[in-house]
Amino acid sequence: MLRGSVVPFAVQDERRGRQAGLAQGLERGLEEGLGEGRKQIRSMHIRMARARFGVQVSERLAALLFPVRSLGPLGQVGDLVVAAETGEELLVRVDDLARSEPADGGLRA
């Protein structure tokens, strides 16, 4: 009676391997997609800063945004670009925002 319902170990192991592979592939795909989205968001903010405050500010902004991984702070930068009166104000506010990003990997996209 048990013989017909028992799945051989090799089949179980193969299934687990496939499931793990699928999970890894999905995770990697999501990371790459989000990574591309972060690049596009950074690029847009840098272009906005260049249009408002010039090349020098946009280059400094690019350096500040490069290490930021969380989508939350990146999303707020556009508001800062629009609200800032000067390029220096923008850079100070973005620097503060980047420093407040969680360092433990929490809330990262």
Side-chain angles (χ1 to χ4, degrees), residues 41-56:
I41 291 169
R42 282 187 194 105
S43 177
M44 178 183 61
H45 295 329
I46 293 164
R47 288 192 316 269
M48 289 170 56
R50 183 178 302 124
R52 279 205 73 202
F53 304 113
V55 173
Q56 193 173 35

Side-chain angles (χ1 to χ4, degrees), residues 6-101:
V6 174
V7 179
F9 178 77
V11 173
Q12 290 177 6
D13 193 44
E14 181 181 337
R15 286 181 187 164
R16 280 192 291 263
R18 268 195 235 139
Q19 289 173 341
L22 287 172
Q24 283 180 334
L26 179 60
E27 186 175 322
R28 186 173 298 140
L30 286 172
E31 281 181 23
E32 288 175 8
L34 289 174
E36 187 60 35
R38 284 190 291 266
K39 289 178 192 175
Q40 290 175 355
I41 291 169
R42 282 187 194 105
S43 177
M44 178 183 61
H45 295 329
I46 293 164
R47 288 192 316 269
M48 289 170 56
R50 183 178 302 124
R52 279 205 73 202
F53 304 113
V55 173
Q56 193 173 35
V57 170
S58 70
E59 289 174 351
R60 289 174 56 198
L61 178 64
L64 287 173
L65 293 181
F66 182 75
V68 177
R69 296 187 43 81
S70 297
L71 290 176
L74 282 176
Q76 295 174 33
V77 173
D79 295 335
L80 297 177
V81 172
V82 172
E85 296 288 327
T86 66
E88 195 57 40
E89 176 189 350
L90 169 65
L91 295 172
V92 167
R93 292 178 71 185
V94 170
D95 187 44
D96 290 344
L97 183 66
R99 289 177 192 270
S100 70
E101 181 184 23

